Amino acid sequence: AGNRARDTRLSDADNEEMETFLKRGHEALSARSTRGESIIVPQSGHDIQADRPQAVIDAVRKVVLQVRQADGH
């Protein structure tokens, strides 16, 4: 997850409420897996793969290493 741009059409309170709602959703989704994580990546938005590609690469490598270690490779 990245930093969602504030919606200028909403009040500060509504923006905070939206941020909390989205964060809870990300946490709930990641909790569905025993290895799930919700990671906040600074200076990124919805297109995290374009904004911070190294963060995506690092996360994928971490998963691949975990799978390989679990399989004994």
Side-chain angles (χ1 to χ4, degrees), residues 23-38:
K23 185 177 179 185
R24 285 185 186 150
H26 288 172
E27 290 171 354
L29 181 60
S30 67
R32 296 183 69 173
S33 169
T34 57
R35 296 182 186 156
E37 290 183 65
S38 178

Side-chain angles (χ1 to χ4, degrees), residues 7 9-10 14 17 21 23 27 29 51 53:
D7 188 331
R9 299 168 297 175
L10 299 177
D14 287 343
E17 186 176 338
F21 173 78
K23 185 177 179 185
E27 290 171 354
L29 181 60
D51 297 337

Side-chain angles (χ1 to χ4, degrees), residues 1 3 9 12 16-20 26 30 37 40-41 45 54 56-57 59 62 70:
N3 296 330
R9 299 168 297 175
D12 286 345
E16 289 299 322
E17 186 176 338
M18 179 63 74
E19 193 69 32
T20 299
H26 288 172
S30 67
E37 290 183 65
I40 304 297
V41 179
Q54 192 61 51
V56 176
I57 292 166
K62 182 178 178 180

